[in-house]
Amino acid sequence: MYRLYCLFILAMTAFSTPAHAAQGTVNLQSLRGDTPIEKTPDADMYKPMKDAKPLPRDFVQQPPLIPHTIRDYQITRNFNKCMDCHAWNKTRETGATKVSVTHYKTREGQELTNISPLRYFCTQCHVSQADAKPLVGNTFRPGVGMQ
Ligand code: HEC
Ligand code: HEC
């Protein structure tokens, strides 16, 4: 038992020597860079796009991107700026897209007359369009019948 333990320690020391590490290392880096866990990294600076037509969705269930600026639009317990324009009874005046019918349903499928608490915090799912490179590459394509 003692012998095994010594072997283990030996192995550990061998693995942790820099010479060995340099040989077989895979260069792993997380998306947060070298910021230690206990610190919050600075947010990336994305250039918001000018108000435009909505970009096409990449997959069917994607929350559409917001094609306009949302600076200073408040969403608080008592007030939701987005619904000022996107509520069904406001869209005729504002020309905004109606929020999806799914947004008026509760978890149990009950239809409400106003935004469901499930969908109240719009920016949980919807983000403004920005000229940003993908963080990681991928080759995803939507199903052929859904393009
Ligand atoms: C002053 C009115 C106004 C406010 C406030 C507003 N929007 Fe909009 N929004 C619009 C209009 C108008 C369009 C349609 C633009 C178009 O289709 O060219 C739009 C489009 C969108 C779309 C694109 C829908 C699609 O067809 O793909 C999303 C998503 C959206 N808004 C989300 C939001 C969110 C989230 C907020 C709050 C943070 C918000 N909007 C606040 C007016 C508004
Ligand atoms: C939990 C995620 C989630 C939240 C929160 C959410 N949405 Fe959505 N939204 C989606 C998804 C997913 C879609 C596309 C599928 C669908 O229609 O349900 C969508 C679709 C939309 C559309 C396009 C409707 C259409 O007919 O093309 C608009 C506009 C919109 N959302 C606005 C809002 C606004 C405004 C809020 C806040 C009051 C909000 N959403 C909150 C996920 C969300």
Side-chain angles (χ1 to χ4, degrees):
M1 187 64 207
Y2 178 70
R3 250 226 198 119
L4 254 177
Y5 183 66
C6 286
L7 262 173
F8 179 67
I9 299 277
L10 243 161
M12 290 304 286
T13 349
F15 278 119
S16 56
T17 53
H20 192 277
Q23 273 173 20
T25 37
V26 185
N27 197 6
L28 278 181
Q29 194 175 33
S30 82
L31 294 175
R32 48 186 288 125
D34 5 335
T35 317
I37 295 291
E38 60 278 3
K39 296 230 173 86
T40 307
D42 293 333
D44 285 329
M45 283 302 295
Y46 292 124
K47 198 160 162 259
M49 292 165 117
K50 279 211 217 113
D51 291 6
K53 284 275 150 216
L55 291 178
R57 301 178 202 183
D58 290 322
F59 56 97
V60 185
Q61 304 86 344
Q62 182 195 322
L65 295 169
I66 308 173
H68 54 72
T69 171
I70 55 165
R71 181 178 277 272
D72 300 331
Y73 286 179
Q74 285 193 7
I75 307 174
T76 66
R77 194 161 69 101
N78 303 318
F79 179 70
N80 185 320
K81 179 67 184 166
C82 313
M83 290 302 278
D84 242 11
C85 293
H86 284 278
W88 281 45
N89 57 6
K90 298 280 178 63
T91 53
R92 223 164 300 140
E93 263 167 70
T94 61
T97 327
K98 286 178 180 154
V99 292
S100 167
V101 272
T102 57
H103 292 32
Y104 280 57
K105 283 194 186 143
T106 63
R107 201 186 300 266
E108 290 76 31
Q110 187 199 350
E111 307 258 3
L112 306 175
T113 56
N114 205 340
I115 196 83
S116 161
L118 282 179
R119 307 282 188 156
Y120 187 80
F121 294 101
C122 319
T123 46
Q124 241 178 301
C125 304
H126 296 278
V127 291
S128 281
Q129 293 179 172
D131 190 6
K133 288 198 182 55
L135 291 174
V136 286
N138 75 81
T139 55
F140 174 82
R141 292 275 173 281
V144 183
M146 290 165 165
Q147 281 165 7

